[in-house]
Amino acid sequence: MYYMIMILRHRGYFGNVSLTWQLFENGSALDPGEEFHEVSGTVWFRDGEGSKPITLYAISDKIPEFNEFYILKLVNATGGFPGPGGHLSETNLTVTVMIPFNDDPFGVFILDLESQEREISEDVISEDDMSDVTNFTIWRQQGTFGDVRVGWEILSGTFRQGLPLMIDCLLLGKFSSSVQSQPHMRRHHTGTDALYFSGEEDAFGVIEPEFHISKNRTLANFTFSVWVIPSAKSDGFIISKDSGNGTMYYGVKIHTNESHISLKLYYTPLQSNVTFVVKITVMKNLDENTWLHLLLTLDDGIIEFFIDGNLVPGGIKSLKGEAIADGKQYAI
């Protein structure tokens, strides 16, 4: 990694003048070979030259580090004849140089080479037979700073090369203190904690823009999948994305009562300022503490709703427009 800093020569351009510079950290000059290949030097201005660069090359040390800040300062000017020669300005003699966090301070995660293949028995003769249990070791290489969660998934033969591009909202979301983690409510055969949303105004999470997957701020094809345990009188958004000034790009809302479930997809088509709503309603009795799988797809202008893996009767809808407008921030 290198940084280029330009030095300007104001007023006169006559004569040969040399400038010396030095790198500092916390007020102390860096030692030779510390962080940069060169920590001080001299820049020569020939007669008539008005600008010259200083190029800094950071040393790749493979040590995980966070943002580091240094000061480059012009410390002396000599040369120029006749007269007193060139001199330093009274201002703009320092610049801040930042080396951004590097070498993966939060870690690079891999499966242990000895964990690449496992054989697990489906049936066992006794409870003491542990051949139906196995363990996988995950290694955290490079940095070990901070608390990091790593998602995992068991894939079938259909997805041998991995799952399509997606985001895990529970893994990537940042949630308020009103959203409670309830590990005891996990679905069977899953290691993902259940989150409880009380319906209070601040009970939600946000996914930062760097994790969004839209292209050119449009959404033409996607699948939204979620497991929920709705209460008998739920009425709220599961996920939404808006502009922050009143425009909703899209959102999925659920409404339930003692005998029915309704799902609504809100969306604003590309190059439109009108929000449309498509809705499906099915008759279904909600069992207490029973997980419900909701799935919604958009593919080539066709919207489909699924509940517990089944296409909802009348659940095929047409999108208004070519695609959905997309924006900056998710709310869960």
Side-chain angles (χ1 to χ4, degrees):
M1 182 181 296
Y2 70 92
Y3 309 82
M4 183 174 291
I5 300 164
M6 192 64 66
I7 303 174
L8 300 180
R9 185 184 194 180
H10 285 171
R11 299 186 182 178
Y13 298 96
F14 298 105
N16 300 327
V17 178
S18 64
L19 291 174
T20 56
W21 58 269
Q22 175 71 53
L23 280 170
F24 296 85
E25 182 183 22
N26 298 326
S28 300
L30 294 185
D31 294 327
E34 184 179 359
E35 298 295 345
F36 297 89
H37 288 281
E38 293 181 337
V39 298
S40 62
T42 301
V43 178
W44 289 89
F45 281 80
R46 304 298 181 186
D47 186 62
E49 290 182 326
S51 63
K52 294 294 285 288
I54 297 175
T55 305
L56 301 176
Y57 292 90
I59 295 175
S60 177
D61 52 16
K62 303 302 181 182
I63 300 175
E65 296 167 315
F66 290 100
N67 293 345
E68 300 171 286
F69 296 90
Y70 304 91
I71 299 296
L72 184 145
K73 183 178 182 180
L74 300 180
V75 295
N76 193 26
T78 60
F81 182 82
H87 62 272
L88 297 177
S89 169
E90 296 181 358
T91 59
N92 299 325
L93 296 179
T94 63
V95 294
T96 299
V97 179
M98 183 190 77
I99 299 179
F101 74 85
N102 55 88
D103 296 308
D104 301 294
F106 302 107
V108 175
F109 299 86
I110 65 168
L111 281 168
D112 184 13
L113 295 179
E114 296 183 0
S115 297
Q116 296 296 313
E117 293 186 8
R118 285 287 189 267
E119 184 176 294
I120 306 175
S121 298
E122 183 174 335
D123 300 308
V124 293
I125 297 176
S126 70
E127 295 182 356
D128 297 329
D129 187 346
M130 299 297 292
S131 60
D132 62 339
V133 177
T134 190
N135 294 307
F136 296 87
T137 300
I138 300 175
W139 284 99
R140 185 183 193 179
Q141 299 180 339
Q142 290 296 99
T144 57
F145 296 102
D147 298 330
V148 179
R149 294 181 295 170
V150 179
W152 58 270
E153 188 90 23
I154 296 177
L155 306 179
S156 68
T158 306
F159 297 104
R160 292 186 180 276
Q161 302 303 317
L163 293 172
L165 178 64
M166 64 178 178
I167 60 174
D168 187 326
C169 296
L170 297 186
L171 181 67
L172 299 178
K174 295 182 179 179
F175 298 92
S176 71
S177 57
S178 296
V179 179
Q180 303 173 14
S181 176
Q182 297 186 339
H184 65 284
M185 291 297 293
R186 290 177 179 174
R187 287 188 301 113
H188 195 42
H189 299 308
T190 180
T192 303
D193 286 350
L195 297 183
Y196 175 68
F197 297 84
S198 63
E200 297 178 6
E201 186 175 348
D202 62 342
F204 66 92
V206 172
I207 298 177
E208 299 297 339
E210 60 261 33
F211 299 116
H212 298 183
I213 58 176
S214 63
K215 296 181 179 179
N216 301 321
R217 299 228 169 170
T218 64
L219 204 59
N221 299 279
F222 72 90
T223 298
F224 173 70
S225 173
V226 61
W227 288 89
V228 295
I229 302 180
S231 62
K233 295 183 178 180
S234 295
D235 186 18
F237 281 93
I238 301 173
I239 190 170
S240 66
K241 196 173 186 182
D242 60 41
S243 64
N245 60 9
T247 300
M248 175 177 287
Y249 296 112
Y250 57 87
V252 178
K253 189 175 186 180
I254 185 172
H255 173 80
T256 63
N257 56 33
E258 291 80 1
S259 59
H260 290 80
I261 297 175
S262 295
L263 282 179
K264 295 180 180 180
L265 171 65
Y266 293 73
Y267 68 91
T268 299
L270 190 64
Q271 298 179 341
S272 172
N273 57 5
V274 178
T275 300
F276 292 87
V277 182
V278 291
K279 175 183 176 181
I280 60 98
T281 300
V282 296
M283 183 180 296
K284 189 174 182 65
N285 294 319
L286 297 177
D287 298 325
E288 186 176 358
N289 295 332
T290 298
W291 286 97
L292 193 68
H293 185 232
L294 309 176
L295 189 139
L296 185 155
T297 67
L298 170 63
D299 186 21
D300 292 333
I302 301 299
I303 303 166
E304 294 182 300
F305 293 86
F306 296 79
I307 295 180
D308 286 338
N310 299 311
L311 178 63
V312 175
I316 300 178
K317 310 288 183 179
S318 296
L319 184 76
K320 303 290 185 181
E322 297 181 0
I324 297 176
D326 203 1
K328 295 182 178 180
Q329 183 168 276
Y330 285 104
I332 305 169

